[in-house]
Amino acid sequence: MTMGRPVPTGTAVTIGQSRRRATMRRALLATALLACPLLMGTSPAFARSVALTTTAERSGFKQTGRYDEVVALCDAFQDVYPQSVRCLTFGTTPEGRPMKAMAVSTSGALDPKAAQARDLPVVLVQGGIHAGEIDGKDAGFWLIRDLLQGKVGAGLLDKAVLLFVPVFNADGHENFRAWNRPNQRGPEQMGYRVTAQRYNLNRDYVKADSPEMQAMLGLVNQWDPLAMLDLHVTDGAKFQHDISITGEPTNSGDIALREAGNALKDGIIAKLATQGSLPVGFYPSFVEDDDPASGFIHGVSTPRFSNGYFPLRNRLAILVETHSWRTYPERVRSTYNTVLDALELTATNGTCWLQLARDADARAAALGGQSVPVEYKATDKVRTIDFLGYAYTRTPSDISGGTMTRYDETTPQVWKIPLRDEIVPATSVVAPKGGYLVPQSYAVAVARQLLTHGITFRVLTAPLRDPNAQAFVADAVQFSPTSVEGHQRVTLKGAWTKHSAEIAAGGLYVPIAQAKSRLLVNILEPTAGDSMAAWGDFNNAFERKEYMEGYVAEEQARLMLAQDPALKAEFERKLREDAEFARSPGARLDFFYRRHPAWDAGTNRYPVLRTDTVY
């Protein structure tokens, strides 16, 4: 699995890195001393603990620090609290920056094996996946300092491990300037939404194109966090609510595990309501852009998103979206409270939730032959809600020529607007009873993807013959006219049918009987919206590679009609009943070509097969 470029080693580089980090730590300490001269006479340990502050705190949350501050603080926290903090480098970005995480616990469990041995729940808190939405970085460092100094959450870190990634998108963080977030109040400057390679990391979870995501999934595979919080700032309208908390499994995934998902989500919302926030439990994006009267539709994210991905691993995911029009100090405080609330809930319920997750793993391993939803939708059931907004007008614009919305933030107003939040499966597939078979020619590409996600498979050491395998042939193929994340996506319609398979040595057998079976289905079922096929990884299979010239097709068609009365009757019936077919010379000739021995049987055939046999 590609983890990005390795961190350079060697005496000169190691010494240089050490010196730079020491210099940064001294700079942080010097800044703290200048800000508070009374520290000059205090103990070194106390002075170092005070130095664990951020640019955001020292500027009154007008600014946020650069990425070198993240690196220095990660090291400094470990220096000050060596028994409770481990600073980790889990990858390297395309521009050569170390990807940093902090394992924080007063239990002594600062590595994955120790956490698992002590049966401690791990909470992954991910900041800066969109690096302009940087509240989580500054909130996280502030909260960790307060936890370790005993100001909040007494005993929490004895019962859980906090795995904190301050900035997931480190290269995007250093694309640093004002106006990177034009719909956001503060800080004065911030990073950018996408990576140096222009990947949107929160569209990359399941496809895992970027080195950053490959590194993150390596971290996830090692630590197996029970819960993940993805810290964002939402754009959109101006309203009074300061934060939204959504997550799964609450409407999707393992049904019994939804008990834990709902308890975590609802528990955070309830706690925030007592802490000065006005939280909502759905993503507040209007049905019709810029029109509050259109209301909201709740949904389930697909696995390209963090909160759609983790439930497929039978783990909890919370999407945190502070509201962009709140000030930066307000947003950081509400993020701080959210992470603290999640830790409290996990510490209290961790034993129960870990067991629910393990039970979900066991059920997933027995998913063969069962229906698995791969897409969800809101029903037409509507309820009217009171939503705390502001007075607004919608008037014609002489600038855009459309309708513009003006909000009056001096006039709070309760909007009575529709919400559709009853969620049901929209598309489901029946999982194979045995698993998937991957021909040798595609084994490397598929194996790379499965390894990235920690999915088990076996490389065949001898040929495998399965007379009852199933092949998928698409009867409708729609390629996207535009590129998405560097891919030409494709929508496929078709069916699995019986097909005798001959898989050579070097091919793969991927059993469905494993804990990540839901994720496996979403990766290898061709009709799943974020599958390898949907992202265009098999587009060659859905392109016609051979043709029959028109004059040859004309000759062969007459011979076929003369020799096959049933074919002649079928052709004449189609002419009568299908006007579009009758008008199309190409479709009429293609009718015969598809029934001729010259037809390429591999056209539109998905290369991965299914089997109901356990190997």
Side-chain angles (χ1 to χ4, degrees):
M1 181 175 67
T2 302
M3 294 286 287
R5 295 196 299 273
V7 177
T9 58
T11 305
V13 174
T14 302
I15 291 172
Q17 289 175 334
S18 177
R19 286 173 177 167
R20 286 194 295 275
R21 291 174 182 174
T23 298
M24 178 55 68
R25 288 196 293 271
R26 287 195 297 271
L28 284 168
L29 178 57
T31 302
L33 292 173
L34 288 172
C36 188
L38 292 176
L39 293 176
M40 295 298 292
T42 61
S43 71
F46 181 74
R48 285 197 304 271
S49 69
V50 174
L52 301 178
T53 59
T54 60
T55 296
E57 293 171 88
R58 295 190 296 273
S59 68
F61 294 95
K62 294 179 181 178
Q63 301 169 358
T64 191
R66 301 298 294 267
Y67 192 69
D68 55 4
E69 179 179 75
V70 170
V71 176
L73 280 170
C74 187
D75 287 333
F77 268 97
Q78 179 174 290
D79 287 349
V80 175
Y81 298 101
Q83 303 304 313
S84 304
V85 177
R86 189 73 72 245
C87 179
L88 311 171
T89 299
F90 65 95
T92 305
T93 70
E95 291 187 342
R97 294 182 176 89
M99 298 179 68
K100 289 293 185 178
M102 294 168 60
V104 186
S105 181
T106 50
S107 69
L110 297 178
D111 64 77
K113 290 183 179 179
Q116 291 158 13
R118 300 184 189 189
D119 212 26
L120 291 175
V122 176
V123 179
L124 170 61
V125 175
Q126 175 183 279
I129 189 171
H130 294 152
E133 305 168 28
I134 205 58
D135 307 11
K137 175 191 68 174
D138 292 321
F141 281 127
W142 179 15
L143 174 61
I144 289 171
R145 191 184 68 242
D146 282 359
L147 285 167
L148 293 172
Q149 291 179 355
K151 295 180 179 178
V152 296
L156 287 185
L157 294 177
D158 291 335
K159 302 176 183 177
V161 178
L162 169 59
L163 186 62
F164 177 49
V165 177
V167 180
F168 184 4
N169 179 11
D171 288 347
H173 187 282
E174 291 307 279
N175 183 359
F176 198 81
R177 62 191 179 99
W179 289 103
N180 269 343
R181 292 276 295 167
N183 313 303
Q184 180 174 301
R185 287 187 173 130
E188 292 173 351
Q189 294 179 300
M190 71 289 288
Y192 196 57
R193 183 176 183 83
V194 299
T195 71
Q197 296 176 325
R198 296 191 67 80
Y199 284 114
N200 183 340
L201 292 178
N202 206 30
R203 306 296 184 272
D204 198 35
Y205 255 95
V206 72
K207 64 183 177 65
D209 286 330
S210 66
E212 292 95 334
M213 185 57 72
Q214 293 160 17
M216 174 61 76
L217 292 174
L219 186 73
V220 169
N221 289 336
Q222 289 174 352
W223 283 88
D224 189 20
L226 170 66
M228 188 277 311
L229 274 69
D230 194 1
L231 308 179
H232 287 255
V233 184
T234 189
D235 291 329
K238 291 183 178 179
F239 44 72
Q240 299 174 56
H241 295 281
D242 62 317
I243 192 168
S244 75
I245 305 295
T246 57
E248 295 294 339
T250 55
N251 296 289
S252 70
D254 184 90
I255 292 177
L257 189 58
R258 295 180 194 181
E259 175 187 335
N262 280 303
L264 180 57
K265 187 195 85 165
D266 295 344
I268 292 171
I269 290 172
K271 285 176 174 286
L272 284 171
T274 69
Q275 295 164 334
S277 282
L278 297 171
V280 292
F282 55 87
Y283 187 83
S285 179
F286 296 135
V287 174
E288 297 177 14
D289 186 46
D290 204 30
D291 185 1
S294 66
F296 303 105
I297 297 180
H298 192 32
V300 172
S301 294
T302 61
R304 73 185 70 174
F305 300 93
S306 64
N307 58 316
Y309 175 81
F310 279 89
L312 298 180
R313 298 177 69 116
N314 307 312
R315 301 299 181 261
L316 315 180
I318 296 294
L319 175 64
V320 180
E321 295 272 2
T322 56
H323 190 233
S324 60
W325 291 112
R326 287 297 184 107
T327 65
Y328 194 53
E330 290 176 301
R331 300 202 317 268
V332 172
R333 168 52 79 178
S334 58
T335 304
Y336 173 111
N337 288 338
T338 298
V339 178
L340 177 59
D341 297 342
L343 285 171
E344 289 175 346
L345 290 161
T346 305
T348 301
N349 300 284
T351 300
C352 173
W353 292 354
L354 280 170
Q355 189 58 52
L356 287 172
R358 292 179 186 126
D359 292 346
D361 286 348
R363 284 188 291 273
L367 205 62
Q370 298 183 40
S371 180
V372 181
V374 293
E375 183 184 7
Y376 292 83
K377 66 179 181 180
T379 69
D380 292 333
K381 183 178 179 180
V382 179
R383 62 188 180 98
T384 300
I385 61 169
D386 290 342
F387 191 80
L388 303 179
Y390 296 107
Y392 68 93
T393 59
R394 284 178 53 78
T395 57
S397 168
D398 57 353
I399 300 295
S400 66
T403 302
M404 70 169 293
T405 304
R406 285 192 178 93
Y407 295 96
D408 179 3
E409 293 180 80
T410 66
T411 309
Q413 190 179 79
V414 177
W415 298 341
K416 292 188 177 297
I417 54 179
L419 170 66
R420 290 167 51 195
D421 61 351
E422 182 181 69
I423 309 299
V424 296
T427 305
S428 298
V429 299
V430 175
K433 295 177 181 177
Y436 296 90
L437 299 171
V438 184
Q440 184 186 37
S441 51
Y442 289 90
V444 172
V446 173
R448 183 186 301 118
Q449 191 76 347
L450 299 180
L451 284 169
T452 297
H453 296 284
I455 292 174
T456 300
F457 61 88
R458 179 163 58 86
V459 180
L460 300 177
T461 57
L464 183 152
R465 182 176 182 274
D466 187 335
N468 298 309
Q470 302 160 35
F472 179 92
V473 178
D475 53 35
V477 178
Q478 182 64 54
F479 292 104
S480 171
T482 58
S483 172
V484 182
E485 287 279 291
H487 292 253
Q488 184 184 22
R489 285 179 52 80
V490 62
T491 300
L492 304 172
K493 294 181 180 179
W496 293 97
T497 57
K498 184 178 176 180
H499 177 78
S500 181
E502 300 276 354
I503 308 296
L508 309 179
Y509 169 62
V510 191
I512 196 69
Q514 54 182 303
K516 299 187 183 78
S517 61
R518 283 189 176 82
L519 181 57
L520 172 60
V521 165
N522 275 269
I523 289 173
L524 289 186
E525 282 293 329
T527 56
D530 275 340
S531 66
M532 291 181 71
W535 279 106
D537 291 338
F538 299 105
N539 277 1
N540 245 356
F542 305 106
E543 299 171 1
R544 187 181 294 190
K545 303 298 184 180
E546 186 56 274
Y547 303 85
M548 181 180 283
E549 295 290 349
Y551 69 91
V552 176
E554 290 276 3
E555 294 173 354
Q556 293 299 309
R558 285 174 170 77
L559 290 172
M560 294 167 71
L561 288 171
Q563 296 169 0
D564 190 341
L567 177 67
K568 184 174 186 294
E570 182 185 357
F571 178 62
E572 291 173 347
R573 183 171 61 253
K574 195 166 180 65
L575 289 175
R576 291 193 304 271
E577 297 175 358
D578 189 339
E580 185 176 350
F581 172 80
R583 289 193 300 267
S584 172
R588 290 167 66 156
L589 291 178
D590 200 49
F591 172 90
F592 295 98
Y593 181 29
R594 287 176 177 271
R595 291 157 176 78
H596 192 277
W599 175 251
D600 176 13
T603 300
N604 288 352
R605 185 181 297 279
Y606 178 51
V608 177
L609 299 110
R610 292 167 34 130
T611 180
D612 284 337
T613 303
V614 177
Y615 291 103

